[in-house]
Amino acid sequence: MNVIVVDDYMQLSDTVAKIIAQRVQSKKDLVLGLATGSTPLGMYQELIHMSKNNRVNFGQVTTFNLDEYVGLSACDPQSYCRFMQEHFFDQIKVKRSFIPNGLAPNLAYECLLYESEIKRYGGIDLQILGIGRDGHIGFNEPGSACNSRTCVVQLDDITIRDNARFFNNDRSRVPRQALTMGIETILEARECLLIANGAHKADIVARALRGPVTESVPASLLRNHKSFTVVLDKAAAISLG
Ligand code: F6R
Protein backbone atom coordinates (compact mmCIF):
# COMPACT_ATOMS: atom_id res chain seq x y z
CA MET A 1 0.00 0.00 0.00
CA ASN A 2 1.29 3.42 -0.96
CA VAL A 3 -0.12 6.35 1.04
CA ILE A 4 0.30 9.88 -0.33
CA VAL A 5 -0.66 12.77 1.95
CA VAL A 6 -1.00 16.23 0.42
CA ASP A 7 -1.84 19.61 1.97
CA ASP A 8 -5.37 20.24 0.78
CA TYR A 9 -8.21 19.30 -1.53
CA MET A 10 -6.76 21.19 -4.49
CA GLN A 11 -3.50 19.28 -4.28
CA LEU A 12 -5.39 16.02 -3.85
CA SER A 13 -7.43 16.63 -7.01
CA ASP A 14 -4.31 17.63 -8.89
CA THR A 15 -2.32 14.58 -7.72
CA VAL A 16 -5.07 12.10 -8.61
CA ALA A 17 -5.70 13.72 -12.01
CA LYS A 18 -1.98 13.50 -12.79
CA ILE A 19 -1.89 9.80 -11.87
CA ILE A 20 -4.88 9.11 -14.15
CA ALA A 21 -3.40 11.16 -17.00
CA GLN A 22 -0.12 9.31 -16.67
CA ARG A 23 -1.91 5.94 -16.89
CA VAL A 24 -3.84 7.11 -19.99
CA GLN A 25 -0.61 8.32 -21.57
CA SER A 26 1.01 4.93 -21.09
CA LYS A 27 -2.11 2.99 -22.23
CA LYS A 28 -4.35 4.94 -24.61
CA ASP A 29 -7.19 2.41 -24.38
CA LEU A 30 -7.16 2.35 -20.58
CA VAL A 31 -10.20 0.83 -18.86
CA LEU A 32 -10.90 3.27 -16.07
CA GLY A 33 -13.19 2.64 -13.10
CA LEU A 34 -14.87 5.82 -11.85
CA ALA A 35 -16.64 7.01 -8.70
CA THR A 36 -19.18 9.75 -8.02
CA GLY A 37 -19.73 11.84 -4.87
CA SER A 38 -18.09 15.01 -3.57
CA THR A 39 -14.52 13.71 -3.32
CA PRO A 40 -13.74 13.26 -7.04
CA LEU A 41 -15.33 16.54 -8.19
CA GLY A 42 -12.01 18.43 -8.17
CA MET A 43 -10.29 15.53 -9.90
CA TYR A 44 -12.86 15.63 -12.72
CA GLN A 45 -12.39 19.40 -13.09
CA GLU A 46 -8.64 19.01 -13.29
CA LEU A 47 -8.94 16.20 -15.87
CA ILE A 48 -11.23 18.40 -18.00
CA HIS A 49 -8.69 21.23 -17.71
CA MET A 50 -5.83 18.91 -18.71
CA SER A 51 -7.82 17.54 -21.63
CA LYS A 52 -8.68 21.03 -22.91
CA ASN A 53 -4.97 21.87 -22.81
CA ASN A 54 -4.18 18.70 -24.79
CA ARG A 55 -2.26 17.18 -21.89
CA VAL A 56 -4.38 14.02 -21.94
CA ASN A 57 -6.71 12.42 -24.47
CA PHE A 58 -9.54 10.19 -23.31
CA GLY A 59 -10.67 9.34 -26.86
CA GLN A 60 -9.73 5.66 -26.57
CA VAL A 61 -10.58 5.25 -22.88
CA THR A 62 -13.51 3.12 -21.69
CA THR A 63 -15.01 3.86 -18.28
CA PHE A 64 -17.03 1.79 -15.82
CA ASN A 65 -18.73 3.49 -12.88
CA LEU A 66 -18.89 1.77 -9.54
CA ASP A 67 -22.56 2.15 -8.81
CA GLU A 68 -26.01 3.62 -9.41
CA TYR A 69 -29.18 4.06 -7.36
CA VAL A 70 -32.04 1.66 -8.02
CA GLY A 71 -35.17 3.38 -9.31
CA LEU A 72 -33.64 6.58 -10.72
CA SER A 73 -33.67 7.13 -14.45
CA ALA A 74 -30.51 8.22 -16.26
CA CYS A 75 -31.86 11.77 -16.55
CA ASP A 76 -32.91 12.10 -12.90
CA PRO A 77 -30.79 14.98 -11.48
CA GLN A 78 -29.72 12.77 -8.57
CA SER A 79 -28.75 9.72 -10.62
CA TYR A 80 -25.08 8.90 -10.90
CA CYS A 81 -25.54 8.71 -14.65
CA ARG A 82 -26.57 12.36 -14.69
CA PHE A 83 -23.78 13.25 -12.25
CA MET A 84 -21.19 11.78 -14.61
CA GLN A 85 -22.74 13.54 -17.58
CA GLU A 86 -22.68 16.89 -15.81
CA HIS A 87 -19.26 16.65 -14.20
CA PHE A 88 -17.28 14.78 -16.81
CA PHE A 89 -18.78 13.30 -19.97
CA ASP A 90 -20.41 16.52 -21.21
CA GLN A 91 -16.91 17.93 -21.58
CA ILE A 92 -14.71 14.91 -22.13
CA LYS A 93 -15.15 12.52 -24.97
CA VAL A 94 -14.41 8.93 -23.96
CA LYS A 95 -14.70 5.92 -26.25
CA ARG A 96 -17.48 4.29 -24.25
CA SER A 97 -18.86 4.72 -20.74
CA PHE A 98 -20.77 2.19 -18.66
CA ILE A 99 -22.93 2.86 -15.60
CA PRO A 100 -25.23 0.23 -14.11
CA ASN A 101 -28.86 0.81 -15.10
CA GLY A 102 -30.87 1.33 -11.93
CA LEU A 103 -34.10 1.09 -13.91
CA ALA A 104 -33.33 -2.25 -15.58
CA PRO A 105 -36.45 -4.46 -15.54
CA ASN A 106 -34.35 -7.38 -14.29
CA LEU A 107 -31.73 -6.08 -11.87
CA ALA A 108 -30.03 -9.45 -11.35
CA TYR A 109 -29.56 -9.75 -15.11
CA GLU A 110 -28.27 -6.16 -15.28
CA CYS A 111 -25.60 -7.09 -12.71
CA LEU A 112 -24.50 -10.12 -14.76
CA LEU A 113 -24.43 -7.98 -17.87
CA TYR A 114 -22.26 -5.38 -16.15
CA GLU A 115 -19.78 -8.04 -15.08
CA SER A 116 -19.66 -9.45 -18.59
CA GLU A 117 -19.03 -6.00 -20.11
CA ILE A 118 -16.11 -5.45 -17.73
CA LYS A 119 -14.72 -8.81 -18.80
CA ARG A 120 -15.33 -8.06 -22.49
CA TYR A 121 -13.18 -4.94 -22.19
CA GLY A 122 -10.35 -6.94 -20.59
CA GLY A 123 -10.98 -5.92 -16.97
CA ILE A 124 -10.44 -2.60 -15.22
CA ASP A 125 -6.92 -1.17 -15.32
CA LEU A 126 -7.36 1.53 -12.70
CA GLN A 127 -10.27 1.86 -10.28
CA ILE A 128 -10.89 5.21 -8.53
CA LEU A 129 -12.70 4.92 -5.19
CA GLY A 130 -14.07 7.22 -2.52
CA ILE A 131 -14.84 6.01 1.00
CA GLY A 132 -18.10 6.33 2.91
CA ARG A 133 -18.08 7.31 6.59
CA ASP A 134 -19.08 3.73 7.37
CA GLY A 135 -16.15 2.41 5.31
CA HIS A 136 -18.15 1.51 2.21
CA ILE A 137 -16.51 1.37 -1.21
CA GLY A 138 -18.85 1.60 -4.15
CA PHE A 139 -22.06 0.87 -2.27
CA ASN A 140 -20.60 -2.18 -0.53
CA GLU A 141 -21.73 -1.47 3.01
CA PRO A 142 -20.16 -3.00 6.17
CA GLY A 143 -20.64 -6.76 6.18
CA SER A 144 -20.46 -7.10 2.38
CA ALA A 145 -18.76 -10.36 1.46
CA CYS A 146 -15.22 -10.07 0.15
CA ASN A 147 -16.18 -12.37 -2.74
CA SER A 148 -19.21 -10.30 -3.81
CA ARG A 149 -19.72 -9.42 -7.48
CA THR A 150 -21.89 -6.68 -9.00
CA CYS A 151 -25.19 -6.91 -7.14
CA VAL A 152 -28.21 -5.11 -5.68
CA VAL A 153 -27.59 -3.81 -2.16
CA GLN A 154 -29.55 -2.09 0.61
CA LEU A 155 -28.06 1.22 1.71
CA ASP A 156 -27.14 1.70 5.39
CA ASP A 157 -28.80 4.46 7.43
CA ILE A 158 -25.54 6.40 7.69
CA THR A 159 -25.19 6.37 3.87
CA ILE A 160 -28.81 7.48 3.43
CA ARG A 161 -28.19 10.29 5.94
CA ASP A 162 -24.93 11.36 4.28
CA ASN A 163 -26.34 11.25 0.74
CA ALA A 164 -29.49 13.18 1.69
CA ARG A 165 -27.45 16.33 0.97
CA PHE A 166 -27.84 15.55 -2.73
CA PHE A 167 -31.64 15.21 -2.27
CA ASN A 168 -32.42 18.63 -0.69
CA ASN A 169 -31.56 17.12 2.70
CA ASP A 170 -34.72 15.03 2.46
CA ARG A 171 -33.78 11.51 3.59
CA SER A 172 -37.09 10.11 2.44
CA ARG A 173 -36.10 10.83 -1.17
CA VAL A 174 -32.83 8.86 -1.02
CA PRO A 175 -33.29 5.48 -2.73
CA ARG A 176 -32.92 2.54 -0.34
CA GLN A 177 -31.23 0.27 -2.87
CA ALA A 178 -28.37 0.54 -5.32
CA LEU A 179 -26.47 -1.52 -7.86
CA THR A 180 -22.79 -1.74 -7.10
CA MET A 181 -19.70 -3.50 -8.34
CA GLY A 182 -18.91 -6.13 -5.71
CA ILE A 183 -15.79 -6.18 -3.53
CA GLU A 184 -14.28 -8.96 -5.62
CA THR A 185 -15.08 -7.06 -8.83
CA ILE A 186 -13.26 -4.02 -7.41
CA LEU A 187 -10.29 -6.07 -6.18
CA GLU A 188 -9.87 -7.55 -9.67
CA ALA A 189 -8.95 -4.12 -11.04
CA ARG A 190 -5.24 -4.11 -11.82
CA GLU A 191 -4.76 -0.99 -9.71
CA CYS A 192 -6.94 0.65 -7.03
CA LEU A 193 -6.73 4.28 -5.97
CA LEU A 194 -8.68 5.45 -2.91
CA ILE A 195 -9.16 9.15 -2.30
CA ALA A 196 -10.46 10.97 0.78
CA ASN A 197 -10.46 14.52 2.06
CA GLY A 198 -11.67 16.38 5.11
CA ALA A 199 -11.70 15.82 8.88
CA HIS A 200 -15.05 14.00 8.66
CA LYS A 201 -13.23 11.12 6.93
CA ALA A 202 -10.24 10.96 9.34
CA ASP A 203 -11.70 8.33 11.66
CA ILE A 204 -12.83 5.90 8.94
CA VAL A 205 -9.58 6.38 6.99
CA ALA A 206 -7.61 5.37 10.10
CA ARG A 207 -9.85 2.33 10.64
CA ALA A 208 -9.53 1.30 6.98
CA LEU A 209 -5.75 1.72 6.77
CA ARG A 210 -4.57 0.90 10.29
CA GLY A 211 -7.30 -1.29 11.78
CA PRO A 212 -7.96 -4.96 11.07
CA VAL A 213 -8.64 -6.05 7.49
CA THR A 214 -12.29 -6.99 7.84
CA GLU A 215 -15.57 -7.11 5.96
CA SER A 216 -16.93 -4.79 8.69
CA VAL A 217 -14.82 -2.03 7.12
CA PRO A 218 -15.05 -2.77 3.37
CA ALA A 219 -12.32 -0.26 2.46
CA SER A 220 -9.83 -2.18 4.65
CA LEU A 221 -10.14 -5.11 2.19
CA LEU A 222 -8.29 -2.99 -0.38
CA ARG A 223 -5.15 -3.65 1.66
CA ASN A 224 -5.24 -7.18 0.21
CA HIS A 225 -4.65 -5.64 -3.23
CA LYS A 226 -1.10 -5.74 -4.53
CA SER A 227 -1.33 -2.36 -6.26
CA PHE A 228 -3.21 -0.08 -3.89
CA THR A 229 -2.58 3.67 -3.56
CA VAL A 230 -4.32 6.07 -1.19
CA VAL A 231 -4.30 9.84 -1.71
CA LEU A 232 -5.43 11.90 1.30
CA ASP A 233 -5.41 15.52 2.28
CA LYS A 234 -3.89 16.36 5.69
CA ALA A 235 -7.27 16.59 7.40
CA ALA A 236 -8.31 13.07 6.33
CA ALA A 237 -4.88 11.69 7.33
CA ILE A 238 -4.78 13.26 10.78
CA SER A 239 -5.65 10.08 12.72
CA LEU A 240 -3.13 7.87 10.92
CA GLY A 241 -0.40 8.71 13.45
C1 F6R B 1 -19.84 6.78 -5.32
C2 F6R B 1 -19.32 5.76 -4.42
C3 F6R B 1 -19.28 5.98 -2.95
C4 F6R B 1 -18.56 7.29 -2.57
C5 F6R B 1 -18.54 7.48 -1.06
C6 F6R B 1 -17.90 8.80 -0.66
O1 F6R B 1 -19.80 6.33 -6.65
O2 F6R B 1 -18.98 4.72 -4.87
O3 F6R B 1 -18.62 4.90 -2.35
O4 F6R B 1 -17.26 7.26 -3.08
O5 F6R B 1 -19.85 7.44 -0.56
O6 F6R B 1 -18.70 9.83 -1.11
P1 F6R B 1 -18.23 11.34 -1.02
O7 F6R B 1 -17.10 11.50 -1.97
O8 F6R B 1 -19.44 12.15 -1.44
O9 F6R B 1 -17.83 11.57 0.40
Side-chain angles (χ1 to χ4, degrees):
M1 173 173 67
N2 177 24
V3 182
I4 301 170
V5 180
V6 296
D7 281 345
D8 54 28
Y9 182 65
M10 220 159 125
Q11 274 190 32
L12 176 138
S13 305
D14 196 58
T15 303
V16 181
K18 281 201 178 103
I19 295 173
I20 295 173
Q22 195 273 327
R23 299 298 185 272
V24 176
Q25 275 144 13
S26 47
K27 188 179 179 207
K28 292 201 174 348
D29 58 349
L30 194 83
V31 180
L32 180 60
L34 294 175
T36 57
S38 307
T39 318
L41 282 173
M43 167 197 100
Y44 286 129
Q45 292 219 316
E46 184 54 26
L47 286 173
I48 291 166
H49 179 72
M50 291 173 93
S51 159
K52 288 193 168 149
N53 288 299
N54 296 320
R55 284 157 60 204
V56 61
N57 181 350
F58 283 87
Q60 295 304 313
V61 170
T62 300
T63 64
F64 283 91
N65 266 76
L66 281 165
D67 43 19
E68 178 59 286
Y69 290 113
V70 166
L72 299 190
S73 76
C75 54
D76 188 294
Q78 268 71 44
S79 75
Y80 284 170
C81 186
R82 177 77 178 272
F83 174 102
M84 289 308 300
Q85 218 51 58
E86 226 167 84
H87 296 288
F88 197 52
F89 298 134
D90 276 350
Q91 301 185 66
I92 294 278
K93 202 180 141 10
V94 298
K95 183 175 169 202
R96 182 112 196 246
S97 60
F98 291 88
I99 300 181
N101 176 6
L103 272 190
N106 182 337
L107 293 173
Y109 182 71
E110 170 66 16
C111 294
L112 288 176
L113 203 64
Y114 207 65
E115 287 280 338
S116 70
E117 291 292 9
I118 294 174
K119 209 178 230 163
R120 192 160 72 87
Y121 279 82
I124 293 170
D125 291 304
L126 170 63
Q127 177 65 56
I128 308 300
L129 300 143
I131 179 171
R133 280 197 307 139
D134 61 359
H136 72 221
I137 48 174
F139 270 134
N140 296 284
E141 301 284 25
S144 302
C146 58
N147 63 353
S148 57
R149 312 292 311 189
T150 302
C151 57
V152 182
V153 290
Q154 304 290 330
L155 302 188
D156 276 2
D157 284 347
I158 184 167
T159 302
I160 293 169
R161 215 165 42 230
D162 281 353
N163 288 9
R165 69 189 193 279
F166 298 113
F167 293 81
N168 275 335
N169 289 317
D170 180 354
R171 280 186 217 176
S172 69
R173 289 181 51 211
V174 183
R176 270 28 186 182
Q177 288 188 315
L179 296 178
T180 182
M181 278 186 206
I183 303 274
E184 195 172 67
T185 319
I186 292 169
L187 289 176
E188 275 176 9
R190 285 180 269 284
E191 184 179 0
C192 288
L193 203 166
L194 181 83
I195 59 179
N197 71 291
H200 63 299
K201 294 284 176 75
D203 177 51
I204 192 61
V205 164
R207 285 174 60 207
L209 303 188
R210 298 285 188 257
V213 172
T214 163
E215 290 173 348
S216 313
V217 182
S220 70
L221 300 169
L222 291 164
R223 281 155 56 201
N224 289 331
H225 196 286
K226 61 180 183 339
S227 184
F228 174 42
T229 300
V230 187
V231 185
L232 305 168
D233 73 351
K234 266 189 191 155
I238 203 145
S239 304
L240 287 181

